[in-house]
Amino acid sequence: MSTPPLPRELAQQALDATTIHGSEVKAAAALGLTRNTLQSRIRRAAIYKLKPTAGLVDPRDPAAKDATIRRLESELRRAQATSSEVAAVREIIGGLSAKVSALQTPPFVVVGPNTPSSPGVPTLFLSDWHAGEVVYPSQINGVNQYNVEIMRERAAGLVKSAVHLLEIISPKMDYPGIVVPLGGDMISGNIHEELTATNEINSMPAVLELYSILTGIIEELVRIFGHVFLPCVTGNHGRDTRKIWAKDRHYTSFDWLLYQFLARRFEKDKRVTFYIPDGSDAYYRIYDYRYLLTHGDQFRGGDGIIGPLGPIIRGDQKKRSRNAQVNMEYYTMICGHWHQYIHLLRLIVNGALKGYDEYAYSGNFPFEPPCQALWLTHAKYNITYRMPVYVARQEAPSKAAWVSVPRATS
């Protein structure tokens, strides 16, 4: 599948900016683009046979000054009206946030049953779904494909496979509940120019799509496990700012908005509890075992030998030092972001539902099949079973023997 052509709107924008500013250098700076990207868009405008929008004026022309002032005043009035509406919406959402953000852990998260048959509390870690993004198999040697339809298929298969694995461990499904961390980057977003040009759907439709899928997943998990606890943090892809913010990180993220919609949907169901802190980390316990959930985008670096382990372990050590100073020590940090499944004693890194993509391929990163992490926390033995849930379409199993050794040679 080939890359979709540049939308006409972006080509028109480049043409208009060049007309207004009188030079490609100034137009590129005004749009936040490189000159090469601007020139590429202007060439596309010529292919589309576009012309500059009627009524454009050169801001350097004194005769256009009065008209420009009147236009800006009109735009300011409209912006002020819009700002008032946004403030009202934010006040409503802010009230919702205050209502659901407090740490209201259900009983099973703190003190679970001590029945000998219970294998513990399962955790199904959901992160890095990148809803709306398209992965083109033709650009990565056909090893993966991703779009909204495939996301729906993998989400359904994820729950089915996770439940199947947990039934193998406990046929009676003797679990007090399930923890489902939402670790961010649930939507693709428009943080890179290539995503803006190639996403199948934009951020708000992606939020609605995820709301529908996750509502169904939560309802199914409640039916099976009785209680569901969902700690939530935002990622870096869902932001609506050019760079990630330290202040108001959550309030500028579509991930956060999705979590709030879901929390409101289940606010009257005592079996479902959301924990949506205002900061970038979520701290919670299963029995007496302490976890710290973060997205993982705060960690920088890596190399071709140890991959992301270096920056992640350094970042984990910094968080442990910070938390120890305020009596909030934890045993295991869990994060997403890196799209590589890693499960160590002190660290769990989630895979990605999206799977391998063009960025990983062009960066020569090792292949990683799409998966999400699943594990059990036991009241006495802490983390026990560890089971990555693979969600790609599986070929029929071979008929090979269950175990074999090389044939002896004479």
Side-chain angles (χ1 to χ4, degrees):
M1 186 180 295
S2 60
T3 303
L6 181 76
R8 297 174 68 92
E9 294 79 3
L10 295 181
Q12 184 70 60
Q13 180 192 51
L15 185 61
D16 289 347
T18 305
T19 301
I20 291 174
H21 293 280
S23 78
E24 293 179 351
V25 173
K26 293 181 179 179
L31 295 177
L33 304 174
T34 64
R35 187 177 181 183
N36 287 339
T37 299
L38 179 76
Q39 291 173 338
S40 175
R41 294 188 177 188
I42 292 174
R43 289 193 294 271
R44 177 59 62 175
I47 294 173
Y48 290 149
K49 299 181 180 180
L50 300 177
K51 296 181 179 181
T53 302
L56 293 177
V57 295
D58 188 340
R60 299 168 296 177
D61 184 0
K65 183 176 181 180
D66 291 341
T68 302
I69 291 175
R70 288 194 297 271
R71 177 176 57 81
L72 292 175
E73 288 176 342
S74 176
E75 291 178 359
L76 177 61
R77 286 192 294 272
R78 289 196 300 270
Q80 288 173 337
T82 302
S83 179
S84 298
E85 295 174 0
V86 170
V89 172
R90 180 161 181 166
E91 182 178 354
I92 294 172
I93 296 296
L96 173 62
S97 172
K99 184 175 182 180
V100 301
S101 291
L103 179 54
Q104 304 170 12
T105 54
F108 79 87
V109 177
V110 180
V111 286
N114 293 320
T115 55
S117 62
S118 176
V121 176
T123 295
L124 178 60
F125 191 7
L126 308 184
S127 74
D128 302 281
W129 286 25
H130 292 257
E133 185 174 346
V134 177
V135 175
Y136 300 101
S138 62
Q139 298 183 18
I140 54 174
N141 279 341
V143 297
N144 187 37
Q145 182 177 5
Y146 193 67
N147 52 41
V148 172
E149 181 181 355
I150 292 175
M151 177 184 68
R152 297 191 195 110
E153 177 185 304
R154 290 181 179 177
L158 170 67
V159 175
K160 182 178 179 181
S161 297
V163 171
H164 174 66
L165 290 169
L166 292 172
E167 283 179 331
I168 293 174
I169 296 171
S170 176
K172 295 181 179 180
M173 294 295 282
D174 190 14
Y175 302 106
I178 187 170
V179 177
V180 185
L182 300 180
D185 277 4
M186 301 303 289
I187 73 168
S188 174
N190 295 307
I191 64 171
H192 302 307
E193 185 178 350
E194 60 187 306
L195 294 177
T196 302
T198 62
N199 278 341
E200 183 177 3
I201 56 176
N202 217 320
S203 296
M204 291 188 183
V207 169
L208 296 179
E209 182 69 35
L210 285 169
Y211 174 81
S212 176
I213 293 173
L214 290 172
T215 296
I217 287 177
I218 294 170
E219 289 175 344
E220 180 69 2
L221 294 178
V222 168
R223 183 187 69 80
I224 295 172
F225 296 95
H227 294 279
V228 181
F229 174 61
L230 301 104
C232 306
V233 295
T234 59
N236 58 302
H237 268 260
R239 67 182 187 267
D240 65 355
T241 55
R242 188 173 66 89
K243 293 184 178 181
I244 199 77
W245 284 11
K247 296 181 184 294
D248 281 354
R249 172 189 171 109
H250 282 3
Y251 305 142
T252 55
S253 171
F254 286 106
D255 283 336
W256 180 86
L257 189 62
L258 168 66
Y259 304 154
Q260 298 293 347
F261 286 159
L262 290 168
R264 190 169 195 175
R265 164 65 177 78
F266 291 97
E267 64 181 343
K268 294 183 179 179
D269 191 334
K270 302 301 182 183
R271 300 168 299 175
V272 180
T273 301
F274 279 82
Y275 172 35
I276 312 174
D278 288 337
S280 57
D281 299 341
Y283 179 82
Y284 65 96
R285 293 188 301 165
I286 300 179
Y287 300 115
D288 288 324
Y289 198 84
R290 297 187 290 272
Y291 287 96
L292 183 135
L293 165 67
T294 192
H295 178 62
D297 59 298
Q298 304 164 33
F299 314 138
R300 300 284 190 273
D303 60 47
I305 304 299
I306 63 172
L309 272 179
I312 294 175
I313 291 176
R314 286 194 298 270
D316 176 38
Q317 188 58 41
K318 289 181 179 179
K319 287 184 181 293
R320 290 180 186 276
S321 176
R322 178 200 65 187
N323 278 32
Q325 296 173 39
V326 291
N327 296 320
M328 294 184 66
E329 294 91 341
Y330 61 89
Y331 297 127
T332 298
M333 182 185 78
I334 66 175
C335 70
H337 182 68
W338 295 88
H339 298 196
Q340 294 187 34
Y341 174 70
I342 302 170
H343 196 133
L344 306 176
L345 178 62
R346 291 158 50 101
L347 173 70
I348 300 172
V349 184
N350 205 14
L353 193 83
K354 177 182 70 171
Y356 204 68
D357 63 7
E358 296 86 350
Y359 177 79
Y361 183 81
S362 63
N364 301 312
F365 300 155
F367 175 74
E368 185 89 8
C371 75
Q372 301 279 262
L374 173 67
W375 69 92
L376 292 180
T377 306
H378 192 272
K380 181 178 179 181
Y381 303 110
N382 302 323
I383 295 178
T384 53
Y385 297 94
R386 310 173 185 189
M387 302 160 285
V389 183
Y390 295 101
V391 294
R393 296 171 181 170
Q394 300 293 323
E395 298 180 358
S398 67
K399 297 182 180 180
W402 74 275
V403 66
S404 59
V405 297
R407 291 180 178 273
T409 57
S410 57

